[in-house]
Every structure is written in C-alpha cells, then in structure tokens.
Amino acid sequence: MCKKETIGVVMKSPCVRQCTLNENDMCLGCGRMLGEITSWVSFSEQKRAEVMTQCQNRLQALKTWKPSLVDQKK
C-alpha cells in the first residue's frame, strides 16, 4: 500500500539563534521549552502549529513580566 504524501510547505524551526534557556528551560529567543526544541523534528505539522501558538503566548507573557529579557537590542 502506498502512503499518500502531502505536498506543501513544511514549517521551519522557529529558532532565531538567540538560544538562552531560563530557569524553566524556556528559550528566551523562540519561546520553546527544551523538550519542544529537542523533539521539533519528530512533531507533526499540527503539533508544530500548536507549539508555535504556545511560544507566542509564552514570549508575550514574558514581555509583560520582564520586558528587558525579550526586547534586548545589541
């Protein structure tokens, strides 16, 4: 039996190459948790989309609580 492949764009990693983990193992660059970073390649597109939404929420919450950690300009 042949497996039908979906043709489309594969979601890229949200990594912004500013990897710094906080005390909760959340990357301050992309908002992913350490487990999400290490498992990214094995996630389905649906799971990746869910993680992306969670990342946005985490970074927004962090910006609210500690703006200097998220908006650093070098």
Side-chain angles (χ1 to χ4, degrees):
M1 182 184 259
C2 289
K3 199 175 190 181
K4 208 176 200 182
E5 292 186 35
T6 303
I7 299 174
V9 177
V10 175
M11 186 180 301
K12 292 183 181 179
S13 168
C15 180
V16 294
R17 302 196 191 283
Q18 294 178 358
C19 304
T20 303
L21 298 178
N22 69 7
E23 64 278 358
N24 298 318
D25 285 337
M26 183 186 90
C27 177
L28 299 176
C30 68
R32 289 182 294 171
M33 302 303 291
L34 182 58
E36 294 166 341
I37 294 168
T38 59
S39 299
W40 185 259
V41 296
S42 66
F43 286 164
S44 67
E45 290 303 304
Q46 180 179 351
K47 178 66 176 174
R48 289 179 183 183
E50 291 169 10
V51 169
M52 291 297 295
T53 299
Q54 293 169 354
C55 290
Q56 292 169 354
N57 293 339
R58 289 179 195 136
L59 290 174
Q60 187 60 43
L62 186 62
K63 186 185 273 189
T64 302
W65 291 101
K66 297 182 181 181
S68 63
L69 287 178
V70 178
D71 291 330
Q72 293 178 354
K73 292 186 180 179
K74 295 181 182 184

